[in-house]
Amino acid sequence: MEASDPGALKELAARLRLFQMERRFTVEALQRRAGLGHTTVSQALNGRKMPSEATVIALARALGVDAGELLALRARGAGPRLSAEDVAFEQRYRDYIVERHSSLTVVGLDLSRPEAACWPLDTAYLSLELASEAERGLPAPATTVERAEQALAGRRRVLIRGQAGSGKTTLLQWLAVTSGPDLVPFVLPLRTLVRHGGALPIPQYFLAATGCALASMQPKDWEDRLLSAGRGLLLVDGLDEVPKQQREHTRAWLRELIAAYPQARFLVTTRPSAVPERWLSGQEFTECTVRPMSRRDVLVFVQRWHRAAGASMELEESLKDVVRGQRDLSQLATTPLMCALVCALHRDRRGHLPRGRMELYEAALSMLLIRRDDEREVKAPEGIVLDRHQAVQLLQRLAYWLIRNGQAEMEEETALSVIEDALPAMPTVAAQGDAQQVLGHLVSRSGLLRRPSADTIDFIHRTFQDYLGAKAAVESRDLGLLVRNAHDEQWEDVLRMAVAHARPAERGTLLRRLVARGDRTLKHRTRLHLVAMACLEQATELDPEVRATVEERTAAMLPPRTYDEATRLASVGPVILDLLPGPEGLLKDELVPVISIATELGGDAAMTFLKRFRTCDDPDVQSVLALEWRAFDTHDYTQDIIRHLSPGTRIAVRNRAELETIPSLPQQSDFYFSGNFSEEELLSVLNQHELQGLDICNNTALLDLDFVGMFGELRRIGLSGLPHVLTLSPLRGLPLTDLTLALAQPMELEILEALPTLKRADIDAPMTYRSMASLLRLPSLRELYLWQRPFTTTTLSGISSATRLEFLSFPASDVPEASRGELAEMPALTCLQINSQYVRLLMDSPPLPHVSHLILNAPLGHGDLTPVKTAFPGLRLLTLMAGAVENRVNLSGLAGIDGLKVKVVDAQMVFGLDHFPPGAVTLTPRPRT
């Protein structure tokens, strides 16, 4: 066999990226021109996987280059040449893998004919989203969310965690069937390999151990050759299905395989709780977690399910509408398994799903417990017949044990004990069999229980566990237990369902105790009172006095009026979304805090809530919606929120996925970029004729600003955290009216003299000269913010040359009071902001009678504000922005200033209000009455 050239793949990728940058194509544009998928193009550009000949030819054609040289590079890196015997066997084995793994069973496709419930894999497969931690040493976010194909590309060893029914096994099937010519898959289901005990197989016996009919035909040492060459893909499914006592042996088996074949690829799946975090970190495994299905994924799944089931288009569209609008339903359909169940329930009820969450869960239980076996004519295969009431009673006991013990699954031995304790009170059931037989029947026939591993039991979805456990808690009169655990997020749904299950008197008692515990417990007060409020939705009949008590407690918190209040409410979790109003009925100071809760929570429910605000014309709302979308699916947020915002809204871009949306947006005039975007990337998406506002922040890759000069319509620019940019000369000649600089390196700000249209400047960068006179001879400058960095190299000397300046902000510590004399020579200066000013030192400042509006930002020693009267005799408006150090304000020293208005921001206590007429003092946030 001839060896491959390991550098050829990198060189091929580098050539492709060079051609892409020269033509200024985004990945999205290149994939459209080439007619290829996003993952295929990304892998080719990143050098993660050797592209096929067809891919190389398609990319060459799209880029307008000769394919010959690129194909030669591919040939050099394509790998060793195989013997004819190996080639022939591999082809036959691949055909076998495709045949064996190209279909899967889907819940509910045909309840009466289970053999018809099969789906072709290429139709059934839905690309999952995986969350993975950044590799050590890389400057990346703590967690990255990508489609499975992207998350796995280039990674040699991965451990995937996911709940039962989340699609882990389907992902492995897909990888096996689509592994391509460079990898040979071995599908290794651990439940099969450990079934008969004994040691786990060595590679020579992989095919035989998994029942492959071709095992006896594999060429001698074939598996050793391909694993040694790094061509083997080991798909190890279900660590959680290995008995606990054997899991350490399984880890040792994996270690042995890695030691023998370090170039082979390993992908292992497990349920989250089966093994500890970093269980395989010693073997350099990257851990990924399967994310719940997004709303877009659910809609795609619904479409595919209905097509495979032969259901009508009307039924499909009906369910899509329900999924979009009913939060309880979207909470249930978060995995492929549960989504399939919802589809089946919807079809079963001829398109009429219950609207209430309790009715929805009740209908799903009915279908799973009774209808499925009835319609499939299944007649007691275990010799056990349970009616619905009997099955529910037993399932409630199991669910309640799990809830009380804070567990998601239980040992089979424990489950048997729970069933055994129940049987004496259920003689009809006990007469049919022992606890082992009854439990076996519930697992195999109820549709609600399953065995996540050989020796454990759990519910197919936490929702059913909570529903049944809540019913058991109410029937057991364990209201005290519910109240004691109400602060725990895991008990939230249990509590809400318990209120629904309870009788009116029990509801009243439960809610009164919940409010009383909140009153006593400062640490959990907010959460307890809000959970009580959320429970009212389920309280169809309730004492009006109890309802009023609950509503009175939350009136002091809702809606929020500050960011701090919003942060505290967001910490309660998604339950808060059910309690938030808006935009109708909200006042100006409540709008942004309310939507800030949803942007912090993220997810589909939060995005559905934010859709109500997308046409709100408040500019602050528009700004927050455009800037804070990191916690949402990029495609969905773009379609449902961003595209509906005002045309001039500034759009924030922090990653490549967001970058690629820019060309399709109706908003093209103002963008905020944060992160290491290259000049080529920015030029490829920005419209030279429409761009008017641009922020570039936190970019260590950018070396200069030469490209900015291409945007001849640019009016505003903000530059922050650009350590390698050393000159602003490319800004010369642009029609800028607004400039913001936050840079640590010294800047030659003489360039500002070449910006005659500049009206506003916000400067936090060291200057290379001492006087401001030459800097500020700008005919249009009206507003100037100076922060600490400029004063490391210069002083306020020369500020009076800015004769038309109307607003000035500076730090008090860098501009001593005695040096402020030039400000008296600036009659146009009517608004002054001083940061961190010791109020008593204003006595040393020259009087500034032309200043009518003074802003004291985080002032110090403001117990006596009398010096303000002396320093600013013409004052008409004072804004006091209290700092974290001193947040008590005494306004008594301002008494007697005729017509003075005062605005106090973020003060915990304000004294001296009695010296002012009504309406003269405004407090922000507004006090709650």
Side-chain angles (χ1 to χ4, degrees), residues 316-358:
E316 174 190 328
E317 291 303 317
S318 169
L319 181 54
K320 285 181 178 179
D321 289 341
V322 174
V323 168
R324 291 185 185 104
Q326 198 169 337
R327 180 170 170 242
D328 293 325
L329 187 62
S330 63
Q331 286 180 331
L332 192 63
T334 56
T335 67
L337 176 68
M338 294 308 298
C339 197
L341 173 61
V342 168
C343 290
L345 177 61
H346 183 256
R347 184 185 63 173
D348 182 61
R349 295 170 64 92
R350 294 175 176 81
H352 296 287
L353 282 175
R355 290 207 59 81
R357 71 183 325 202
M358 300 301 286

Side-chain angles (χ1 to χ4, degrees), residues 782-785 799 804-810 823 826-834 848-856 872 874-879 881:
R782 299 291 185 271
E783 191 173 340
L784 176 62
Y785 292 83
I799 189 70
R804 300 186 181 183
L805 198 65
E806 298 171 357
F807 173 93
L808 175 64
S809 171
F810 57 81
L823 300 182
M826 303 171 64
L829 185 66
T830 57
C831 185
L832 185 65
Q833 174 173 309
I834 310 177
L848 301 176
H850 47 279
V851 173
S852 59
H853 181 192
L854 174 66
I855 303 169
L856 293 178
F872 302 96
L875 197 62
R876 289 293 173 266
L877 173 61
L878 173 65
T879 300
M881 304 174 71

Side-chain angles (χ1 to χ4, degrees), residues 369-370 373-374 378-392 394 423 426-434 437-442 444-446:
L369 286 173
I370 305 298
D373 276 357
D374 287 352
V378 176
K379 303 298 183 184
E382 297 86 8
I384 303 289
V385 178
L386 301 180
D387 62 29
R388 185 182 183 284
H389 177 72
Q390 292 167 333
V392 166
L394 293 168
L423 289 182
M426 305 177 74
T428 306
V429 178
Q432 300 181 57
D434 59 18
Q437 292 170 298
V438 173
L439 180 62
H441 172 84
L442 290 172
S444 61
R445 309 276 23 114
S446 74

Side-chain angles (χ1 to χ4, degrees), residues 154-232:
R155 286 177 168 154
R156 196 162 290 278
R157 298 169 197 162
V158 180
L159 174 65
I160 296 180
R161 297 177 182 269
Q163 299 291 345
S166 62
K168 302 185 300 295
T169 300
T170 304
L171 172 61
L172 294 199
Q173 286 184 244
W174 176 256
L175 292 173
V177 170
T178 62
S179 55
D182 301 323
L183 289 174
V184 177
F186 294 92
V187 182
L188 303 171
L190 287 171
R191 62 183 174 276
T192 301
L193 301 184
V194 302
R195 185 177 299 155
H196 302 298
L200 291 164
I202 60 175
Q204 180 182 351
Y205 301 113
F206 278 172
L207 302 192
T210 54
C212 175
L214 303 178
S216 61
M217 303 174 193
Q218 70 185 64
K220 180 175 173 54
D221 298 330
W222 163 74
E223 73 293 334
D224 179 71
R225 288 190 293 276
L226 71 90
L227 289 171
S228 297
R231 298 179 54 244

